[in-house]
Every structure is written in C-alpha cells, then in structure tokens.
Amino acid sequence: MHVFTYHNPTQIFFGKGQINAARRAIPEKNRVLVLYGGGSVKKNNVLDQVRAALNKHTFAEFGGIEPNPSYETLMSAVELARREKSDYILAVGGGSVIDGAKFVAAAVPFKGADPWSIIEKHTPISKALPISCVLTLPGTGTESNGNLVISHKEKGIKLGYYNHLLYPVFAILDPTATYTLPPKQIGNGIVDAFVHVVEQYMNLCENAIVQDRYAESLMRTLIEVGPQTLKHPLDYESRANFMWAANQALNGLIGVGVTQDWSTHGIGHELTALYGLDHGQSLAAILMQNWQINRKAKHAKLLQYAARVWHLPIVDEEAAITEAMAKTAAFFESMGLKTSLKALGVEAAAADIIPERLQQMGFTALGTRGEVTPYVARQILLASLE
Ligand code: NZQ
Ligand code: ZN
C-alpha cells in the first residue's frame, strides 16, 4: 500500500425526511442560490421540500442545467449568482447539477477573464463559494468528492477537474428523492458506481486488504441491489443500499494507497462529447473490451475478482476470468445497458477520431501504468465496434 493522506470533509445527512436538515446546516445569514436541472425535482416535490427547508433564508433559483452540464448554461448561473450576491450554492439533482454547481462555486469569486481556464488550463483558485447538495440520482459519487466534469459545447469537449475546495459542505441523501428515476437512469447509476469501484480496484495486487475487501463488498452490493431496484422501484431498502454504495464507491476511501486506472472514464467522456452517450452507458460499452485488451496486465486482479465477487471456482484461470467478464457484461445488460458500441450503432470512425482527440489533449498514457496510449484506446474501440 502506498503512502496516503485522506480527508473527506463532506457531512452526510442520510435517510427519509433529511431534506429538512438544510434548514440548520446552512447559516441563515447566507444568500443561497438553488440550482436544479430540467424539472424532475419540480415533478417529484423535492424542490418544494427544499423551498420549505429554506423558508427562513434568502434564496434565488436557477433551473435548466442539462445532463452533461455545459459551461455555457453554467455561465448564466454565474451571472445570476453575481447579480443576487449569492454566497452559498445548493445543488438539487443528479451528478450533472452537482458538478455544475461546483463549477459555479469556483467561477463566481474568480477574478480572471474566463472561468473556463480553471478547467482547461488549471488556473489556480484560492477560494470557492461553499456548495452543498440534495442528491436525486445515485451513481456519480459527486455528492461527496471534489470532482466535476463539464462540457464546453462550442469547443465540443468534456473535461474533468478536481479541487479540494469543491467538496460539498454537506450532502443530503434521501432515498425517497430517487423514487421517480426512470429505469434507464437507475441502470446508468448502478453501472457508473460499479465502474468507479473497478477503476480503483482492477489494477495491481498491492496488499491493500481493506481497500480490496471493501471494493468487493461494494461490487457485490451493487450486483444484488441493482436488479431489486429495477424490479421494485418503491422499495426503500434497495434504494437506500444503492445510494450508500454509490456514495462509498467514489468518496475517495477505496482509492487511497492504491494504483488507479480511469482509462474507461477517459475514453467514455470522449464518447459522450462526440455521440451524446449517457455517462453510464459510455462506460458499459467499453469496459469489457478494456479488460480484454489489458487482460495480461490485470491477470492477478481479474482472477481475484472472479473468485471473490462472482464466487467462481478457479480450476482453469483463463476460463474463470472469461466467465467473470461474461457475468459482468450480463449484469450490465440486465440493468438495461448495452455492452458494445456496435450495439449502440456508433460509427466505425470513432476508433480513429477518439485516439486522435486523446492525443491532441495530451491524454496519451491512461490506465494503471500509462499503458492505455491512443494506440491501445484504438484497440479497445475497435473491439467494441466489431
Ligand atoms: O434534469 P432533470 O429534469 O433533473 O432530469 C435528470 C436528467 O435528465 C434525471 N433525474 C435526476 N434525478 C431524477 C431524475 N429523473 C427523475 N427522478 C429523479 N429523482 O436524470 C437525468 C440524468 O441526470 P444527470 O445528473 O445527468 O445524471 P448523472 O447523475 O448520471 O450525472 C452524469 C454526469 O456526472 C458526471 C458525468 O460525466 C456526467 O456529466 N460524473 C461526475 C463525477 C464526479 N463529479 O465525481 C464522476 C462520474 O464518473 C461522472 O463522470
Ligand atoms: Zn463515472
């Protein structure tokens, strides 16, 4: 296990009825800007619960943050925040709204000409507005990490960014706020959380016993509750376990002290930027192919995965790995996602365009040890397209 520092500052309010916790958790002196998406929070009453919790606060609202939030839309929210003199951001929605809120929180006090440079050029920031959130779609883990991913529509790119200043102050996780999710988004969320575990787990055997065992328990949990959640949309217990597992998958804990990958996410973001695939779907379409192409380097971990996550007997090592991969693909398919780009009808040219873009952006050494070069990314894409 490598040397590490771990500090996750986000306070979690978990469970039914917790939206009201925002009342006391946000100081009354703050001027709040509430951000939300395309309107799901209006239909399911979540926004009304937030409004009720803030009835002693001064607050403004900004709706219309789209999936894969765009810099362009978010800059309108930045203008509103500046006009309203907002000094606290509360995001109410899924990963896109929360990621967007983090960008707004960084952009409002930014003194430079264009806050996009924070994301693209890593222009340093010394402060951000406090941001908190009410989560309505489990999966991304953004509710308690410092990451964001936003798209610049005009430039046609989707970029990730991390800053410790952007951890939410608190996150409200009320499983009942997710009851209205359509099956497609449940599938996306389960697979996204699963792949977050994979990116931190399917690498080297590094004697990180706690991280490995915890990662395996999160994967087992997602495999168990995913189908239950689809089948019984109003079952509180499966929602609650889904929500908590997805949170734990990307709050930083299982990734400490271990080598990480993130090549599936790197290529996935390109697929979203170019072809509009949902984030979870972009991952499901290339994970198996990524494992297959990097099968030798991941051999020991794939074997551990086959034995501990799928409980397969290890008689023939290669056969066990092949079966574990087939079971993973079947799990993703059972969640309603496709496991190849061919099945999604993505154009064959993707195998040329995406490696070229990765090269241009300098993403030339993704993967556990930098082995996913643009050339290897091409092999992965070709395998998924054939
Ligand atoms: O916009 P509304 O009307 O709210 O509808 C949303 C949206 O259409 C809907 N939805 C959300 N909660 C709902 C609901 N519909 C009914 N009932 C509810 N309770 O779901 C749709 C998708 O929402 P979105 O927020 O886009 O999905 P998700 O949470 O999967 O977020 C995806 C974004 O997060 C980024 C992705 O790249 C993508 O941009 N990620 C962020 C990460 C992070 N910050 O750590 C890590 C991830 O790997 C990921 O990259
Ligand atoms: Zn993800």
Side-chain angles (χ1 to χ4, degrees), residues 139-140 192-193 195-196 250 262 265 269 279-280 283:
T140 62
D192 191 19
V195 181
H196 293 157
L250 200 52
W262 299 103
H265 271 71
H269 290 334
H279 173 64
L283 307 174

Side-chain angles (χ1 to χ4, degrees), residues 36-44 46 64-69 92-99 102 135-151 158-161 175-182 184-185 188-189 192-193 196 239 250 262 265 269 272 278-280 282-283:
Y36 59 93
S40 68
V41 295
K42 283 188 176 161
K43 285 191 212 134
N44 62 10
V46 168
I65 297 175
E66 62 279 71
N68 308 308
V92 186
S96 294
V97 174
I98 300 172
D99 280 8
K102 290 177 182 176
L135 181 69
T136 64
L137 200 181
T140 62
T142 185
E143 68 275 12
S144 64
N145 69 39
N147 305 328
L148 61 83
V149 190
I150 62 172
S151 302
K158 183 174 185 195
L159 287 179
Y161 174 77
T176 66
T178 75
Y179 280 166
T180 49
L181 281 171
K184 181 169 106 152
Q185 298 303 344
N188 281 336
D192 191 19
H196 293 157
R239 287 286 158 153
L250 200 52
W262 299 103
H265 271 71
H269 290 334
T272 300
D278 287 352
H279 173 64
S282 74
L283 307 174

Side-chain angles (χ1 to χ4, degrees), residues 38 43 50 57 84 88 98 108 143 146 154 174 179 185 201 216 248 254 272 306 308 317 325 330 346 377:
K43 285 191 212 134
V50 170
H57 289 77
E84 292 285 332
Y88 200 111
I98 300 172
V108 170
E143 68 275 12
E154 200 193 317
D174 179 343
Y179 280 166
Q185 298 303 344
Y201 170 88
E216 287 153 3
Q248 299 291 293
I254 59 168
T272 300
R308 294 194 193 164
E317 292 191 355
M325 286 171 41
V346 169

